[in-house]
Amino acid sequence: MKVFISADMEGVAGVVHQEQTGRDGREHDRARELMTLEVNSAIEGAIEAGAKEVLVNDSHGTMRNLLPELLHNGAEYIIGSPKILSMMEGIDGSFDAAILLGHHSRMGQSGILNHSYNGRVVTNININGIDYGEIGLNAAIAGTFQVPTVLVSGCQFATAEALELIPTIETAVVKQTVNRVVAKNLTPSNAQALIKEKVLSALGKRKEITPFTINGPYTVELTYLHSGFADAAEVLPIVERVNGESHRFYCDDFLTAFRYIRSLINLASS
Ligand SMILES: [Zn+2]
């Protein structure tokens, strides 16, 4: 069995603020350690469940967060950015299951530190009439390769977002969001134990979880924080303007649509 893990930071127990998630934040290095230890627990669970190979993709911010000296020896790690598949770089059809660790709800919803890729630029990503955040799009990337996403960890709103899309997914709620920057957390060791336990049960029922896909053709609408971002992204000729703050484009292939979404957000932020 081969297991893919996408490791974000906002959904890690004990992480509630940008001082922790931002590269220049004073508490960032401690949050990196908490993230690394949750990843290690997921790897332990995967190996105990029978995984022969585990690949971890660092998927937060700079994508250089995992602390190499603390990492579990049972996995290989992708760090650094940019990556074509971003938070899902490295996944392909050879994997048996994907795990979304430390994830968060999409912008526009409740949930700790909620955003969709770039909270300073984009407020909504809509595909064929349904709003998606990182959880939905990451699971759909895995689904493109027929890989089921079997577990998501984070706050109760992140796991609810996943359950709405994948009703049989396993979840590990490591903290309860009180508001966008306040949460009631499990202690690190309790969160790590929960993650290991949930990875074991998720991988045990992986064959009962259907790979999540978004069926094409795709009409994608991006809404930005203000019209200036839409102006900047409009140099990409694929888009048509919907209104001051929104673009639309059409696409037949999901991974191509995802790459356009990422390109537009990067252009807008430039
Ligand atoms: Zn993140």
mmCIF file of all heavy atoms in Angstrom, residues 218-267:
data_model
loop_
_atom_site.group_PDB
_atom_site.id
_atom_site.type_symbol
_atom_site.label_atom_id
_atom_site.label_comp_id
_atom_site.label_asym_id
_atom_site.label_seq_id
_atom_site.Cartn_x
_atom_site.Cartn_y
_atom_site.Cartn_z
ATOM 1 N N TYR A 218 -16.051 22.051 -17.257
ATOM 2 C CA TYR A 218 -15.980 22.933 -16.094
ATOM 3 C C TYR A 218 -16.226 24.408 -16.452
ATOM 4 O O TYR A 218 -15.613 24.938 -17.375
ATOM 5 C CB TYR A 218 -14.604 22.821 -15.423
ATOM 6 C CG TYR A 218 -14.273 21.382 -15.096
ATOM 7 C CD1 TYR A 218 -13.453 20.635 -15.935
ATOM 8 C CD2 TYR A 218 -14.826 20.764 -13.979
ATOM 9 C CE1 TYR A 218 -13.175 19.306 -15.662
ATOM 10 C CE2 TYR A 218 -14.556 19.432 -13.697
ATOM 11 C CZ TYR A 218 -13.731 18.709 -14.536
ATOM 12 O OH TYR A 218 -13.480 17.397 -14.272
ATOM 13 N N THR A 219 -17.148 25.002 -15.705
ATOM 14 C CA THR A 219 -17.302 26.456 -15.725
ATOM 15 C C THR A 219 -16.792 26.932 -14.374
ATOM 16 O O THR A 219 -17.345 26.564 -13.328
ATOM 17 C CB THR A 219 -18.779 26.862 -15.900
ATOM 18 O OG1 THR A 219 -19.252 26.309 -17.127
ATOM 19 C CG2 THR A 219 -18.921 28.375 -15.929
ATOM 20 N N VAL A 220 -15.706 27.693 -14.397
ATOM 21 C CA VAL A 220 -15.035 28.085 -13.152
ATOM 22 C C VAL A 220 -15.167 29.597 -12.967
ATOM 23 O O VAL A 220 -14.874 30.365 -13.882
ATOM 24 C CB VAL A 220 -13.539 27.711 -13.200
ATOM 25 C CG1 VAL A 220 -12.860 28.089 -11.882
ATOM 26 C CG2 VAL A 220 -13.366 26.226 -13.482
ATOM 27 N N GLU A 221 -15.618 29.990 -11.783
ATOM 28 C CA GLU A 221 -15.745 31.415 -11.492
ATOM 29 C C GLU A 221 -14.916 31.747 -10.254
ATOM 30 O O GLU A 221 -15.081 31.130 -9.199
ATOM 31 C CB GLU A 221 -17.222 31.751 -11.261
ATOM 32 C CG GLU A 221 -17.511 33.227 -11.386
ATOM 33 C CD GLU A 221 -19.012 33.505 -11.495
ATOM 34 O OE1 GLU A 221 -19.690 32.901 -12.356
ATOM 35 O OE2 GLU A 221 -19.489 34.325 -10.689
ATOM 36 N N LEU A 222 -14.020 32.710 -10.410
ATOM 37 C CA LEU A 222 -13.189 33.168 -9.292
ATOM 38 C C LEU A 222 -13.660 34.547 -8.867
ATOM 39 O O LEU A 222 -13.853 35.424 -9.709
ATOM 40 C CB LEU A 222 -11.723 33.276 -9.708
ATOM 41 C CG LEU A 222 -10.937 31.990 -9.966
ATOM 42 C CD1 LEU A 222 -9.478 32.307 -10.192
ATOM 43 C CD2 LEU A 222 -11.081 31.031 -8.802
ATOM 44 N N THR A 223 -13.818 34.748 -7.562
ATOM 45 C CA THR A 223 -14.173 36.070 -7.040
ATOM 46 C C THR A 223 -13.032 36.564 -6.174
ATOM 47 O O THR A 223 -12.507 35.822 -5.332
ATOM 48 C CB THR A 223 -15.479 35.994 -6.223
ATOM 49 O OG1 THR A 223 -16.496 35.443 -7.054
ATOM 50 C CG2 THR A 223 -15.913 37.377 -5.754
ATOM 51 N N TYR A 224 -12.629 37.806 -6.401
ATOM 52 C CA TYR A 224 -11.479 38.392 -5.707
ATOM 53 C C TYR A 224 -11.954 39.380 -4.646
ATOM 54 O O TYR A 224 -13.101 39.822 -4.649
ATOM 55 C CB TYR A 224 -10.558 39.095 -6.708
ATOM 56 C CG TYR A 224 -10.115 38.183 -7.836
ATOM 57 C CD1 TYR A 224 -10.837 38.132 -9.031
ATOM 58 C CD2 TYR A 224 -8.993 37.377 -7.703
ATOM 59 C CE1 TYR A 224 -10.444 37.286 -10.065
ATOM 60 C CE2 TYR A 224 -8.594 36.535 -8.732
ATOM 61 C CZ TYR A 224 -9.326 36.495 -9.908
ATOM 62 O OH TYR A 224 -8.941 35.660 -10.916
ATOM 63 N N LEU A 225 -11.017 39.775 -3.773
ATOM 64 C CA LEU A 225 -11.364 40.711 -2.709
ATOM 65 C C LEU A 225 -11.813 42.060 -3.250
ATOM 66 O O LEU A 225 -12.676 42.711 -2.694
ATOM 67 C CB LEU A 225 -10.150 40.930 -1.791
ATOM 68 C CG LEU A 225 -10.009 39.985 -0.603
ATOM 69 C CD1 LEU A 225 -8.711 40.263 0.124
ATOM 70 C CD2 LEU A 225 -11.188 40.122 0.346
ATOM 71 N N HIS A 226 -11.182 42.510 -4.350
ATOM 72 C CA HIS A 226 -11.650 43.738 -4.989
ATOM 73 C C HIS A 226 -11.278 43.719 -6.462
ATOM 74 O O HIS A 226 -10.513 42.855 -6.920
ATOM 75 C CB HIS A 226 -11.126 44.999 -4.290
ATOM 76 C CG HIS A 226 -9.639 45.123 -4.271
ATOM 77 N ND1 HIS A 226 -8.889 45.334 -5.397
ATOM 78 C CD2 HIS A 226 -8.754 45.047 -3.251
ATOM 79 C CE1 HIS A 226 -7.612 45.406 -5.072
ATOM 80 N NE2 HIS A 226 -7.504 45.215 -3.768
ATOM 81 N N SER A 227 -11.776 44.674 -7.210
ATOM 82 C CA SER A 227 -11.658 44.657 -8.674
ATOM 83 C C SER A 227 -10.212 44.764 -9.147
ATOM 84 O O SER A 227 -9.882 44.317 -10.247
ATOM 85 C CB SER A 227 -12.493 45.789 -9.273
ATOM 86 O OG SER A 227 -12.010 47.039 -8.812
ATOM 87 N N GLY A 228 -9.331 45.341 -8.325
ATOM 88 C CA GLY A 228 -7.933 45.481 -8.727
ATOM 89 C C GLY A 228 -7.272 44.133 -8.977
ATOM 90 O O GLY A 228 -6.445 43.983 -9.889
ATOM 91 N N PHE A 229 -7.633 43.145 -8.175
ATOM 92 C CA PHE A 229 -7.071 41.810 -8.366
ATOM 93 C C PHE A 229 -7.592 41.193 -9.673
ATOM 94 O O PHE A 229 -6.844 40.530 -10.401
ATOM 95 C CB PHE A 229 -7.425 40.907 -7.180
ATOM 96 C CG PHE A 229 -6.755 41.312 -5.901
ATOM 97 C CD1 PHE A 229 -7.496 41.629 -4.786
ATOM 98 C CD2 PHE A 229 -5.371 41.366 -5.813
ATOM 99 C CE1 PHE A 229 -6.891 41.998 -3.596
ATOM 100 C CE2 PHE A 229 -4.745 41.729 -4.625
ATOM 101 C CZ PHE A 229 -5.506 42.050 -3.518
ATOM 102 N N ALA A 230 -8.867 41.413 -9.953
ATOM 103 C CA ALA A 230 -9.440 40.905 -11.212
ATOM 104 C C ALA A 230 -8.775 41.593 -12.401
ATOM 105 O O ALA A 230 -8.471 40.952 -13.416
ATOM 106 C CB ALA A 230 -10.946 41.142 -11.226
ATOM 107 N N ASP A 231 -8.497 42.895 -12.270
ATOM 108 C CA ASP A 231 -7.801 43.631 -13.342
ATOM 109 C C ASP A 231 -6.439 43.000 -13.617
ATOM 110 O O ASP A 231 -6.052 42.787 -14.770
ATOM 111 C CB ASP A 231 -7.587 45.101 -12.945
ATOM 112 C CG ASP A 231 -8.889 45.855 -12.779
ATOM 113 O OD1 ASP A 231 -9.902 45.427 -13.358
ATOM 114 O OD2 ASP A 231 -8.882 46.882 -12.056
ATOM 115 N N ALA A 232 -5.703 42.687 -12.558
ATOM 116 C CA ALA A 232 -4.351 42.148 -12.720
ATOM 117 C C ALA A 232 -4.368 40.764 -13.362
ATOM 118 O O ALA A 232 -3.492 40.419 -14.157
ATOM 119 C CB ALA A 232 -3.648 42.100 -11.358
ATOM 120 N N ALA A 233 -5.371 39.961 -13.027
ATOM 121 C CA ALA A 233 -5.427 38.585 -13.540
ATOM 122 C C ALA A 233 -5.981 38.527 -14.962
ATOM 123 O O ALA A 233 -5.816 37.524 -15.650
ATOM 124 C CB ALA A 233 -6.274 37.725 -12.615
ATOM 125 N N GLU A 234 -6.609 39.620 -15.380
ATOM 126 C CA GLU A 234 -7.313 39.586 -16.665
ATOM 127 C C GLU A 234 -6.369 39.501 -17.869
ATOM 128 O O GLU A 234 -6.822 39.288 -18.995
ATOM 129 C CB GLU A 234 -8.214 40.825 -16.796
ATOM 130 C CG GLU A 234 -9.387 40.611 -17.702
ATOM 131 C CD GLU A 234 -10.435 41.705 -17.558
ATOM 132 O OE1 GLU A 234 -10.346 42.503 -16.600
ATOM 133 O OE2 GLU A 234 -11.317 41.764 -18.417
ATOM 134 N N VAL A 235 -5.055 39.611 -17.653
ATOM 135 C CA VAL A 235 -4.117 39.446 -18.773
ATOM 136 C C VAL A 235 -4.149 38.013 -19.301
ATOM 137 O O VAL A 235 -3.754 37.769 -20.444
ATOM 138 C CB VAL A 235 -2.665 39.826 -18.400
ATOM 139 C CG1 VAL A 235 -2.560 41.302 -18.084
ATOM 140 C CG2 VAL A 235 -2.154 38.984 -17.251
ATOM 141 N N LEU A 236 -4.608 37.069 -18.494
ATOM 142 C CA LEU A 236 -4.698 35.687 -18.975
ATOM 143 C C LEU A 236 -5.924 35.604 -19.896
ATOM 144 O O LEU A 236 -7.044 35.787 -19.451
ATOM 145 C CB LEU A 236 -4.853 34.723 -17.789
ATOM 146 C CG LEU A 236 -4.419 33.291 -18.041
ATOM 147 C CD1 LEU A 236 -2.914 33.204 -18.286
ATOM 148 C CD2 LEU A 236 -4.779 32.388 -16.862
ATOM 149 N N PRO A 237 -5.709 35.335 -21.195
ATOM 150 C CA PRO A 237 -6.825 35.497 -22.143
ATOM 151 C C PRO A 237 -7.958 34.504 -21.980
ATOM 152 O O PRO A 237 -9.027 34.674 -22.558
ATOM 153 C CB PRO A 237 -6.149 35.332 -23.513
ATOM 154 C CG PRO A 237 -4.810 34.762 -23.260
ATOM 155 C CD PRO A 237 -4.440 35.018 -21.843
ATOM 156 N N ILE A 238 -7.783 33.495 -21.174
ATOM 157 C CA ILE A 238 -8.849 32.496 -21.010
ATOM 158 C C ILE A 238 -10.076 33.072 -20.290
ATOM 159 O O ILE A 238 -11.181 32.567 -20.423
ATOM 160 C CB ILE A 238 -8.307 31.262 -20.246
ATOM 161 C CG1 ILE A 238 -9.316 30.119 -20.352
ATOM 162 C CG2 ILE A 238 -7.980 31.573 -18.806
ATOM 163 C CD1 ILE A 238 -8.819 28.795 -19.819
ATOM 164 N N VAL A 239 -9.899 34.170 -19.523
ATOM 165 C CA VAL A 239 -11.005 34.627 -18.666
ATOM 166 C C VAL A 239 -11.923 35.618 -19.349
ATOM 167 O O VAL A 239 -11.513 36.376 -20.230
ATOM 168 C CB VAL A 239 -10.493 35.262 -17.352
ATOM 169 C CG1 VAL A 239 -9.757 34.238 -16.513
ATOM 170 C CG2 VAL A 239 -9.640 36.481 -17.621
ATOM 171 N N GLU A 240 -13.184 35.575 -18.925
ATOM 172 C CA GLU A 240 -14.121 36.640 -19.273
ATOM 173 C C GLU A 240 -14.607 37.251 -17.965
ATOM 174 O O GLU A 240 -14.762 36.555 -16.957
ATOM 175 C CB GLU A 240 -15.292 36.111 -20.103
ATOM 176 C CG GLU A 240 -16.178 35.114 -19.392
ATOM 177 C CD GLU A 240 -17.303 34.584 -20.286
ATOM 178 O OE1 GLU A 240 -17.031 34.245 -21.457
ATOM 179 O OE2 GLU A 240 -18.435 34.515 -19.798
ATOM 180 N N ARG A 241 -14.809 38.567 -17.984
ATOM 181 C CA ARG A 241 -15.213 39.262 -16.755
ATOM 182 C C ARG A 241 -16.689 39.017 -16.493
ATOM 183 O O ARG A 241 -17.518 39.139 -17.395
ATOM 184 C CB ARG A 241 -14.941 40.767 -16.946
ATOM 185 C CG ARG A 241 -14.903 41.576 -15.666
ATOM 186 C CD ARG A 241 -13.609 41.360 -14.908
ATOM 187 N NE ARG A 241 -13.437 42.336 -13.851
ATOM 188 C CZ ARG A 241 -12.409 43.176 -13.780
ATOM 189 N NH1 ARG A 241 -11.456 43.159 -14.703
ATOM 190 N NH2 ARG A 241 -12.313 44.023 -12.775
ATOM 191 N N VAL A 242 -17.041 38.662 -15.284
ATOM 192 C CA VAL A 242 -18.443 38.483 -14.903
ATOM 193 C C VAL A 242 -18.976 39.782 -14.319
ATOM 194 O O VAL A 242 -20.050 40.256 -14.661
ATOM 195 C CB VAL A 242 -18.586 37.346 -13.863
ATOM 196 C CG1 VAL A 242 -20.022 37.224 -13.385
ATOM 197 C CG2 VAL A 242 -18.106 36.031 -14.457
ATOM 198 N N ASN A 243 -18.187 40.376 -13.400
ATOM 199 C CA ASN A 243 -18.512 41.686 -12.819
ATOM 200 C C ASN A 243 -17.212 42.264 -12.282
ATOM 201 O O ASN A 243 -16.127 41.718 -12.550
ATOM 202 C CB ASN A 243 -19.593 41.555 -11.730
ATOM 203 C CG ASN A 243 -19.176 40.572 -10.644
ATOM 204 O OD1 ASN A 243 -18.025 40.588 -10.193
ATOM 205 N ND2 ASN A 243 -20.091 39.716 -10.236
ATOM 206 N N GLY A 244 -17.287 43.317 -11.511
ATOM 207 C CA GLY A 244 -16.065 43.987 -11.061
ATOM 208 C C GLY A 244 -15.079 43.067 -10.376
ATOM 209 O O GLY A 244 -13.869 43.174 -10.561
ATOM 210 N N GLU A 245 -15.573 42.127 -9.611
ATOM 211 C CA GLU A 245 -14.687 41.316 -8.767
ATOM 212 C C GLU A 245 -14.563 39.866 -9.226
ATOM 213 O O GLU A 245 -13.899 39.076 -8.549
ATOM 214 C CB GLU A 245 -15.222 41.332 -7.324
ATOM 215 C CG GLU A 245 -15.203 42.703 -6.700
ATOM 216 C CD GLU A 245 -16.114 42.805 -5.476
ATOM 217 O OE1 GLU A 245 -16.935 41.895 -5.259
ATOM 218 O OE2 GLU A 245 -15.993 43.800 -4.765
ATOM 219 N N SER A 246 -15.199 39.504 -10.336
ATOM 220 C CA SER A 246 -15.238 38.080 -10.703
ATOM 221 C C SER A 246 -14.855 37.818 -12.151
ATOM 222 O O SER A 246 -15.145 38.623 -13.047
ATOM 223 C CB SER A 246 -16.645 37.509 -10.470
ATOM 224 O OG SER A 246 -17.020 37.650 -9.130
ATOM 225 N N HIS A 247 -14.207 36.671 -12.346
ATOM 226 C CA HIS A 247 -13.866 36.139 -13.665
ATOM 227 C C HIS A 247 -14.536 34.797 -13.860
ATOM 228 O O HIS A 247 -14.745 34.070 -12.900
ATOM 229 C CB HIS A 247 -12.357 35.820 -13.744
ATOM 230 C CG HIS A 247 -11.501 36.985 -13.943
ATOM 231 N ND1 HIS A 247 -10.239 37.037 -13.417
ATOM 232 C CD2 HIS A 247 -11.693 38.117 -14.647
ATOM 233 C CE1 HIS A 247 -9.688 38.171 -13.774
ATOM 234 N NE2 HIS A 247 -10.540 38.840 -14.514
ATOM 235 N N ARG A 248 -14.691 34.414 -15.140
ATOM 236 C CA ARG A 248 -15.171 33.071 -15.443
ATOM 237 C C ARG A 248 -14.300 32.507 -16.553
ATOM 238 O O ARG A 248 -13.818 33.243 -17.418
ATOM 239 C CB ARG A 248 -16.626 33.167 -15.899
ATOM 240 C CG ARG A 248 -17.266 31.834 -16.243
ATOM 241 C CD ARG A 248 -18.642 32.052 -16.863
ATOM 242 N NE ARG A 248 -19.570 32.702 -15.934
ATOM 243 C CZ ARG A 248 -20.439 33.654 -16.285
ATOM 244 N NH1 ARG A 248 -20.494 34.102 -17.529
ATOM 245 N NH2 ARG A 248 -21.254 34.170 -15.403
ATOM 246 N N PHE A 249 -14.054 31.212 -16.513
ATOM 247 C CA PHE A 249 -13.443 30.553 -17.670
ATOM 248 C C PHE A 249 -14.016 29.159 -17.823
ATOM 249 O O PHE A 249 -14.647 28.618 -16.900
ATOM 250 C CB PHE A 249 -11.909 30.533 -17.566
ATOM 251 C CG PHE A 249 -11.324 29.620 -16.529
ATOM 252 C CD1 PHE A 249 -11.075 28.274 -16.794
ATOM 253 C CD2 PHE A 249 -11.016 30.095 -15.263
ATOM 254 C CE1 PHE A 249 -10.530 27.433 -15.834
ATOM 255 C CE2 PHE A 249 -10.467 29.257 -14.288
ATOM 256 C CZ PHE A 249 -10.227 27.923 -14.580
ATOM 257 N N TYR A 250 -13.815 28.592 -19.008
ATOM 258 C CA TYR A 250 -14.363 27.263 -19.331
ATOM 259 C C TYR A 250 -13.211 26.323 -19.634
ATOM 260 O O TYR A 250 -12.216 26.734 -20.229
ATOM 261 C CB TYR A 250 -15.294 27.349 -20.547
ATOM 262 C CG TYR A 250 -16.388 28.370 -20.391
ATOM 263 C CD1 TYR A 250 -16.239 29.662 -20.892
ATOM 264 C CD2 TYR A 250 -17.563 28.052 -19.713
ATOM 265 C CE1 TYR A 250 -17.238 30.614 -20.740
ATOM 266 C CE2 TYR A 250 -18.563 28.997 -19.554
ATOM 267 C CZ TYR A 250 -18.401 30.275 -20.067
ATOM 268 O OH TYR A 250 -19.384 31.212 -19.896
ATOM 269 N N CYS A 251 -13.368 25.056 -19.263
ATOM 270 C CA CYS A 251 -12.273 24.105 -19.420
ATOM 271 C C CYS A 251 -12.842 22.687 -19.402
ATOM 272 O O CYS A 251 -13.825 22.420 -18.710
ATOM 273 C CB CYS A 251 -11.303 24.319 -18.255
ATOM 274 S SG CYS A 251 -9.751 23.489 -18.439
ATOM 275 N N ASP A 252 -12.227 21.787 -20.151
ATOM 276 C CA ASP A 252 -12.718 20.402 -20.205
ATOM 277 C C ASP A 252 -11.953 19.459 -19.284
ATOM 278 O O ASP A 252 -12.434 18.370 -18.973
ATOM 279 C CB ASP A 252 -12.605 19.852 -21.638
ATOM 280 C CG ASP A 252 -13.646 20.491 -22.544
ATOM 281 O OD1 ASP A 252 -14.726 20.851 -22.031
ATOM 282 O OD2 ASP A 252 -13.368 20.657 -23.744
ATOM 283 N N ASP A 253 -10.756 19.853 -18.866
ATOM 284 C CA ASP A 253 -9.887 18.952 -18.116
ATOM 285 C C ASP A 253 -9.676 19.502 -16.697
ATOM 286 O O ASP A 253 -9.330 20.680 -16.518
ATOM 287 C CB ASP A 253 -8.542 18.844 -18.855
ATOM 288 C CG ASP A 253 -7.541 18.041 -18.046
ATOM 289 O OD1 ASP A 253 -7.739 16.811 -17.924
ATOM 290 O OD2 ASP A 253 -6.582 18.631 -17.514
ATOM 291 N N PHE A 254 -9.878 18.655 -15.677
ATOM 292 C CA PHE A 254 -9.849 19.176 -14.310
ATOM 293 C C PHE A 254 -8.473 19.707 -13.897
ATOM 294 O O PHE A 254 -8.367 20.778 -13.291
ATOM 295 C CB PHE A 254 -10.311 18.113 -13.297
ATOM 296 C CG PHE A 254 -10.317 18.675 -11.902
ATOM 297 C CD1 PHE A 254 -11.304 19.559 -11.506
ATOM 298 C CD2 PHE A 254 -9.304 18.373 -11.010
ATOM 299 C CE1 PHE A 254 -11.291 20.132 -10.247
ATOM 300 C CE2 PHE A 254 -9.278 18.940 -9.748
ATOM 301 C CZ PHE A 254 -10.285 19.815 -9.361
ATOM 302 N N LEU A 255 -7.418 18.949 -14.206
ATOM 303 C CA LEU A 255 -6.089 19.409 -13.775
ATOM 304 C C LEU A 255 -5.699 20.705 -14.488
ATOM 305 O O LEU A 255 -5.029 21.568 -13.914
ATOM 306 C CB LEU A 255 -5.033 18.321 -14.002
ATOM 307 C CG LEU A 255 -5.178 17.090 -13.100
ATOM 308 C CD1 LEU A 255 -4.056 16.097 -13.376
ATOM 309 C CD2 LEU A 255 -5.197 17.468 -11.619
ATOM 310 N N THR A 256 -6.140 20.851 -15.755
ATOM 311 C CA THR A 256 -5.888 22.111 -16.469
ATOM 312 C C THR A 256 -6.657 23.247 -15.793
ATOM 313 O O THR A 256 -6.124 24.343 -15.587
ATOM 314 C CB THR A 256 -6.306 21.978 -17.942
ATOM 315 O OG1 THR A 256 -5.629 20.857 -18.499
ATOM 316 C CG2 THR A 256 -5.967 23.229 -18.735
ATOM 317 N N ALA A 257 -7.910 22.976 -15.422
ATOM 318 C CA ALA A 257 -8.703 23.994 -14.721
ATOM 319 C C ALA A 257 -8.027 24.394 -13.418
ATOM 320 O O ALA A 257 -7.938 25.587 -13.085
ATOM 321 C CB ALA A 257 -10.113 23.461 -14.448
ATOM 322 N N PHE A 258 -7.520 23.410 -12.692
ATOM 323 C CA PHE A 258 -6.837 23.701 -11.425
ATOM 324 C C PHE A 258 -5.616 24.590 -11.671
ATOM 325 O O PHE A 258 -5.373 25.551 -10.927
ATOM 326 C CB PHE A 258 -6.418 22.389 -10.740
ATOM 327 C CG PHE A 258 -5.617 22.620 -9.493
ATOM 328 C CD1 PHE A 258 -6.236 23.045 -8.327
ATOM 329 C CD2 PHE A 258 -4.236 22.436 -9.493
ATOM 330 C CE1 PHE A 258 -5.488 23.278 -7.176
ATOM 331 C CE2 PHE A 258 -3.489 22.666 -8.351
ATOM 332 C CZ PHE A 258 -4.118 23.088 -7.187
ATOM 333 N N ARG A 259 -4.866 24.285 -12.746
ATOM 334 C CA ARG A 259 -3.670 25.084 -13.027
ATOM 335 C C ARG A 259 -4.051 26.512 -13.419
ATOM 336 O O ARG A 259 -3.354 27.468 -13.062
ATOM 337 C CB ARG A 259 -2.829 24.402 -14.098
ATOM 338 C CG ARG A 259 -2.190 23.120 -13.578
ATOM 339 C CD ARG A 259 -1.498 22.324 -14.644
ATOM 340 N NE ARG A 259 -0.294 22.994 -15.138
ATOM 341 C CZ ARG A 259 0.548 22.429 -15.990
ATOM 342 N NH1 ARG A 259 0.329 21.198 -16.435
ATOM 343 N NH2 ARG A 259 1.624 23.090 -16.399
ATOM 344 N N TYR A 260 -5.172 26.670 -14.119
ATOM 345 C CA TYR A 260 -5.641 28.030 -14.437
ATOM 346 C C TYR A 260 -6.052 28.769 -13.157
ATOM 347 O O TYR A 260 -5.775 29.955 -13.000
ATOM 348 C CB TYR A 260 -6.811 27.992 -15.424
ATOM 349 C CG TYR A 260 -6.382 27.905 -16.870
ATOM 350 C CD1 TYR A 260 -6.853 26.894 -17.704
ATOM 351 C CD2 TYR A 260 -5.501 28.852 -17.409
ATOM 352 C CE1 TYR A 260 -6.461 26.815 -19.035
ATOM 353 C CE2 TYR A 260 -5.106 28.776 -18.738
ATOM 354 C CZ TYR A 260 -5.580 27.761 -19.546
ATOM 355 O OH TYR A 260 -5.185 27.689 -20.852
ATOM 356 N N ILE A 261 -6.722 28.059 -12.262
ATOM 357 C CA ILE A 261 -7.129 28.694 -10.992
ATOM 358 C C ILE A 261 -5.889 29.219 -10.267
ATOM 359 O O ILE A 261 -5.830 30.375 -9.832
ATOM 360 C CB ILE A 261 -7.902 27.686 -10.104
ATOM 361 C CG1 ILE A 261 -9.268 27.388 -10.708
ATOM 362 C CG2 ILE A 261 -8.059 28.231 -8.677
ATOM 363 C CD1 ILE A 261 -9.988 26.193 -10.061
ATOM 364 N N ARG A 262 -4.871 28.353 -10.139
ATOM 365 C CA ARG A 262 -3.638 28.753 -9.454
ATOM 366 C C ARG A 262 -2.954 29.913 -10.188
ATOM 367 O O ARG A 262 -2.443 30.844 -9.573
ATOM 368 C CB ARG A 262 -2.681 27.564 -9.353
ATOM 369 C CG ARG A 262 -3.217 26.399 -8.556
ATOM 370 C CD ARG A 262 -3.107 26.631 -7.057
ATOM 371 N NE ARG A 262 -1.727 26.897 -6.687
ATOM 372 C CZ ARG A 262 -1.334 27.838 -5.833
ATOM 373 N NH1 ARG A 262 -2.231 28.598 -5.245
ATOM 374 N NH2 ARG A 262 -0.067 27.997 -5.548
ATOM 375 N N SER A 263 -2.951 29.835 -11.523
ATOM 376 C CA SER A 263 -2.301 30.891 -12.314
ATOM 377 C C SER A 263 -3.003 32.228 -12.099
ATOM 378 O O SER A 263 -2.343 33.265 -11.942
ATOM 379 C CB SER A 263 -2.346 30.539 -13.809
ATOM 380 O OG SER A 263 -1.740 29.293 -14.047
ATOM 381 N N LEU A 264 -4.335 32.198 -12.110
ATOM 382 C CA LEU A 264 -5.092 33.444 -11.953
ATOM 383 C C LEU A 264 -4.862 34.057 -10.569
ATOM 384 O O LEU A 264 -4.699 35.276 -10.435
ATOM 385 C CB LEU A 264 -6.589 33.168 -12.177
ATOM 386 C CG LEU A 264 -6.964 32.986 -13.658
ATOM 387 C CD1 LEU A 264 -8.323 32.299 -13.790
ATOM 388 C CD2 LEU A 264 -6.972 34.338 -14.391
ATOM 389 N N ILE A 265 -4.826 33.208 -9.541
ATOM 390 C CA ILE A 265 -4.600 33.737 -8.192
ATOM 391 C C ILE A 265 -3.180 34.340 -8.100
ATOM 392 O O ILE A 265 -2.987 35.409 -7.528
ATOM 393 C CB ILE A 265 -4.802 32.623 -7.131
ATOM 394 C CG1 ILE A 265 -6.270 32.198 -7.119
ATOM 395 C CG2 ILE A 265 -4.363 33.098 -5.753
ATOM 396 C CD1 ILE A 265 -6.565 30.961 -6.269
ATOM 397 N N ASN A 266 -2.210 33.651 -8.694
ATOM 398 C CA ASN A 266 -0.836 34.189 -8.673
ATOM 399 C C ASN A 266 -0.747 35.499 -9.443
ATOM 400 O O ASN A 266 -0.106 36.451 -8.992
ATOM 401 C CB ASN A 266 0.141 33.165 -9.270
ATOM 402 C CG ASN A 266 0.375 31.999 -8.326
ATOM 403 O OD1 ASN A 266 0.047 32.069 -7.151
ATOM 404 N ND2 ASN A 266 0.928 30.930 -8.845
ATOM 405 N N LEU A 267 -1.403 35.549 -10.610
ATOM 406 C CA LEU A 267 -1.395 36.786 -11.385
ATOM 407 C C LEU A 267 -2.072 37.913 -10.618
ATOM 408 O O LEU A 267 -1.562 39.040 -10.576
ATOM 409 C CB LEU A 267 -2.156 36.574 -12.698
ATOM 410 C CG LEU A 267 -1.370 36.067 -13.901
ATOM 411 C CD1 LEU A 267 -2.348 35.752 -15.034
ATOM 412 C CD2 LEU A 267 -0.354 37.110 -14.351
#
